[in-house]
Amino acid sequence: MSSATATQHVDLLLVEDQSSDAELALRALRTLDLGTRLHRIGNGAEALDFIFGRNAHADRSAEAPPGLILLDLKLPKVSGHEVLRALKSDERTRQVPIVVLSSSGERSDVERCYALGANSYVVKPVDFNAFTETVQRIGTYWLQTNEGAGTCMP
């Protein structure tokens, strides 16, 4: 896991409190060799501080948000729903793609996340290989295939 500073842009931020899921996801993304800088945060409050350059992350610029955020819903301190709401309501982060990667397949969670502005909602596969493949597909699509708002010509 790489650390980000004010001079280093984070291409992908994984917000995941479960260490086993986080390590598996990061390993899956690293094997793609996308040239992507990865960072992992384990709770919602710190994720917001990291993204907006506050408190322990005051050395980061809020003007350089991650290029992609993989967001779990069931997070300590501040829920994934609240993180999503905060990011999609702020002009600096509104266009950052946020993929909810959750163990919840509850229809109410899916609908609420899309209502809050999620770009995608993926239920975490339980199977190791399926989980790895799913995370790799997400990374490949959002970081290589998709034309993000920051890459569009004026």
Side-chain angles (χ1 to χ4, degrees), residues 36-98:
T36 304
R37 291 162 295 221
L38 307 172
H39 196 89
R40 183 246 178 155
I41 299 286
N43 71 67
E46 188 179 356
L48 291 173
D49 285 349
F50 179 86
I51 293 163
F52 292 118
R54 305 182 304 216
N55 299 319
H57 301 283
D59 62 333
R60 280 194 38 79
S61 170
E63 304 305 318
L68 174 64
I69 298 171
L70 300 183
L71 178 66
D72 188 22
L73 288 182
K74 294 174 175 62
L75 296 169
K77 298 186 181 182
V78 174
S79 75
H81 290 107
E82 291 306 312
V83 171
L84 180 58
R85 179 189 321 278
L87 297 177
K88 291 301 183 175
S89 65
D90 190 289
E91 188 64 35
R92 297 168 293 179
T93 54
R94 182 172 294 134
Q95 293 186 11
V96 174
I98 299 176

